[in-house]
Amino acid sequence: MEGYRIRGGRPLEGEVEISGAKNAALPLLAASVLTRGENTFSSVPEISDVDSMVKILKGLGCSVKKEKETVTVDASNMSECSIPEEFMKEMRSSVFLAGALLARCGEAVITSPGGCDIGRRPIDIHIKGLESMGARMEKRDGRMIIKGPLLKGTKIRLKYPSVGATENIMLAATGAEGVTVIENSAREPEIEDLQKYINRCGGRISGAGTGRIEIEGGKRLTGCSHRIMGDRIEAGTYMFMALGTGGCIYLKNTEPSHMEYPVRFLKGGGWDIFCRENTITAKGRGSLRGCSFSTAPYPGFPTDLHPQTAAFLAVRGRDCEIEENIFEKRFKYAKELIKMGADIEISGKKVIIGDNKILCGREVEAEDLRGGAALIMAGLMAEGTTTVGNTRYIKRGYSRLEEKIRLLGGEITEYVQREP
Ligand code: UD1
């Protein structure tokens, strides 16, 4: 089975260009079905979830070309409104197409979306939002048939600020008659990128980044050129990797205001972090004692950085806790870190990190994307060789990971079969 072999103990040092954000690229690519004309997306991360989205768009009849980090999409001649189950299963973000297809065709046929197994991940808030605009959902043979030929703008208050539901409702609302207001909307920066893109195409949305988004529907959308924003989770991952190995890093294409939480706690631990426009420099030596974090919707501590933070604290922290409030099955990485010598235990929703330890290289298995990144980080910090199996999870969300780690001086290679 495929995986990464990592020889630990080398400090990661140098500069790294952060790729476009996975969580912005996927909803934006889905949104392109709302437009007529050519869209050129640049800084698209080279990850397998983007490949899956490209496959879905082609299946819907869009003309799509992908060359490295540039993807062009022309949805003028789109002919389908149904997504086959095998594509839906490949990733969570396939669900955004429900809102986009409803707006474009008045109908969407989907099945339950796939994605990492990090918790229950229902889509009730998405569906309730679409239904408030007049859509009707029927389940037949395991498929969800959502019809809404005459969507109407309305006020929708989300019971929880779900990122995906906010984006899905925004997309459907662009095709609705009148104004839709989403209250208690998610505030993640990726939602602002979606707003920017749709407005550039001729739409009218305001309020993204706040808890109240207003969408004026019924605008005719054309294609445009759009550069995807930098990936704040990838930036956080490399910052922890470098500091965890005792190195230093210069992150390019990173908006410091999106990284407030990790930057604040690293500064508190004694590391030197310098933020400038679109770059962050992180260096120095520090340690964290007795700190506690609780994951929360943005601008809170990001759940997508929880496993990487735990790996970092296993080596650079002492008596720390992370409370996971968003995805209840996000702890699978912990047993693998324990195999490597980490002093970690799980108690209910909390990860408790006891003493800081020197980790030892072991054979470990990634079971989801961010947990996989945490294990790679652990391997880079550990003594000896670590093999991280199940590379496919990590490739869903980290663009050119091996290349970037090697440029920073880390030793990582991909293998197809583990040596006996
Ligand atoms: C997005 C991100 C993911 C990140 C997560 C939280 C993308 C492609 N993925 O996922 O990387 O970890 O935000 O920051 O942007 N919930 C419901 N009902 C719903 C929808 C969500 O109960 O209809 C719950 C979920 O089970 C979870 C919480 O709300 O407990 C947050 O989910 P949500 O914000 O929707 O995350 P995603 O959009 O799936």
Side-chain angles (χ1 to χ4, degrees):
M1 210 166 44
E2 86 294 2
Y4 290 122
R5 178 175 298 106
I6 298 152
R7 187 112 63 88
R10 290 169 162 242
L12 260 55
E13 283 177 331
E15 65 175 55
V16 65
E17 175 86 25
I18 295 302
S19 297
K22 160 185 170 287
N23 289 352
L26 297 169
L28 264 75
L29 286 167
S32 67
V33 308
L34 296 166
T35 67
R36 286 180 171 81
E38 191 169 277
N39 292 277
T40 305
F41 297 103
S42 54
S43 196
V44 179
E46 295 180 69
I47 54 176
S48 61
D49 270 12
V50 164
D51 297 336
S52 304
M53 184 58 88
V54 164
K55 232 178 351 183
I56 294 180
L57 292 174
K58 283 185 176 165
L60 292 170
C62 301
S63 148
V64 190
K65 279 195 213 103
K66 179 173 176 292
E67 215 190 311
K68 295 195 172 149
E69 296 191 341
T70 303
V71 178
T72 57
V73 185
D74 189 336
S76 306
N77 299 318
M78 211 186 88
S79 47
E80 264 294 325
C81 62
S82 161
I83 306 171
E85 187 179 5
E86 68 263 31
F87 291 170
M88 282 296 296
K89 271 196 314 213
E90 282 185 23
M91 61 173 171
R92 174 78 184 170
S93 303
S94 49
V95 74
F96 300 126
L97 282 152
L101 288 173
L102 259 185
R104 169 76 188 248
C105 324
E107 184 175 334
V109 183
I110 61 168
T111 55
S112 285
C116 285
D117 181 19
I118 51 178
R120 280 185 319 116
R121 310 191 87 172
I123 56 167
D124 57 311
I125 305 174
H126 302 236
I127 299 296
K128 196 162 175 232
L130 301 179
E131 285 179 342
S132 325
M133 283 185 267
R136 288 291 160 259
M137 201 256 291
E138 191 189 315
K139 285 192 177 165
R140 208 187 300 151
D141 309 325
R143 297 186 311 161
M144 289 177 249
I145 301 155
I146 312 169
K147 289 191 178 163
L150 293 169
L151 295 180
K152 282 217 166 21
T154 184
K155 192 188 274 187
I156 300 166
R157 186 167 177 83
L158 305 186
K159 68 171 184 190
Y160 181 89
S162 151
V163 179
T166 301
E167 294 173 327
N168 222 340
I169 296 167
M170 278 165 80
L171 298 183
T174 58
E177 190 190 296
V179 175
T180 301
V181 175
I182 312 174
E183 288 181 346
N184 196 28
S185 53
R187 298 162 187 235
E188 269 67 1
E190 292 75 15
I191 299 174
E192 289 180 64
D193 211 24
L194 181 61
Q195 168 178 292
K196 233 185 249 174
Y197 163 68
I198 293 177
N199 287 349
R200 210 166 258 168
C201 293
R204 190 171 282 184
I205 305 184
S206 58
T210 75
R212 187 181 187 278
I213 300 177
E214 205 171 300
I215 305 111
E216 222 179 279
K219 306 276 174 221
R220 195 179 161 79
L221 303 184
T222 58
C224 75
S225 292
H226 186 92
R227 183 181 158 85
I228 307 287
M229 63 176 275
D231 193 316
R232 61 196 166 96
I233 304 302
E234 191 198 16
T237 305
Y238 282 107
M239 190 154 66
F240 287 141
M241 274 183 190
L243 299 180
T245 55
C248 58
I249 198 157
Y250 177 59
L251 301 163
K252 289 169 34 183
N253 193 30
T254 306
E255 171 51 51
S257 66
H258 297 162
M259 305 277 296
E260 222 174 276
Y261 221 115
V263 163
R264 200 185 325 143
F265 96 76
L266 286 170
K267 276 185 174 171
W271 283 277
D272 300 320
I273 318 283
F274 304 99
C275 299
R276 294 228 170 74
E277 198 189 330
N278 231 17
T279 65
I280 298 180
T281 308
K283 58 185 184 181
R285 302 241 157 215
S287 68
L288 285 154
R289 200 176 200 156
C291 57
S292 71
F293 310 99
S294 298
T295 63
Y298 190 85
F301 188 77
T303 173
D304 281 358
L305 271 184
H306 147 187
Q308 302 90 315
T309 308
F312 179 76
L313 292 174
V315 175
R316 303 277 164 196
R318 184 182 274 190
D319 299 327
C320 297
E321 299 187 346
I322 305 174
E323 185 180 31
E324 174 55 56
N325 292 312
I326 299 179
F327 294 116
E328 70 278 8
K329 282 164 76 180
R330 199 141 225 182
F331 303 100
K332 293 177 184 166
Y333 67 89
K335 63 179 187 321
E336 304 300 88
L337 288 185
I338 292 167
K339 263 196 224 168
M340 297 176 75
D343 181 9
I344 286 187
E345 63 176 63
I346 307 296
S347 167
K349 292 200 306 184
K350 287 187 178 165
V351 192
I352 298 164
I353 297 123
D355 210 352
N356 57 339
K357 295 280 183 193
I358 294 172
L359 302 182
C360 300
R362 292 279 182 270
E363 280 189 10
V364 291
E365 298 295 326
E367 291 184 55
D368 57 61
L369 165 60
R370 306 300 172 187
L375 298 179
I376 290 182
M377 187 187 304
L380 291 164
M381 295 188 294
E383 284 183 345
T385 300
T386 298
T387 55
V388 181
N390 284 331
T391 323
R392 68 177 194 284
Y393 289 117
I394 302 161
K395 289 185 172 170
R396 295 182 53 178
Y398 285 91
S399 191
R400 307 199 318 272
L401 177 96
E402 291 165 75
E403 181 191 320
K404 291 184 184 184
I405 291 179
R406 276 198 224 117
L407 276 173
L408 292 168
E411 258 192 78
I412 181 168
T413 46
E414 189 167 14
Y415 62 81
V416 178
Q417 195 79 45
R418 239 180 213 147
E419 282 156 16

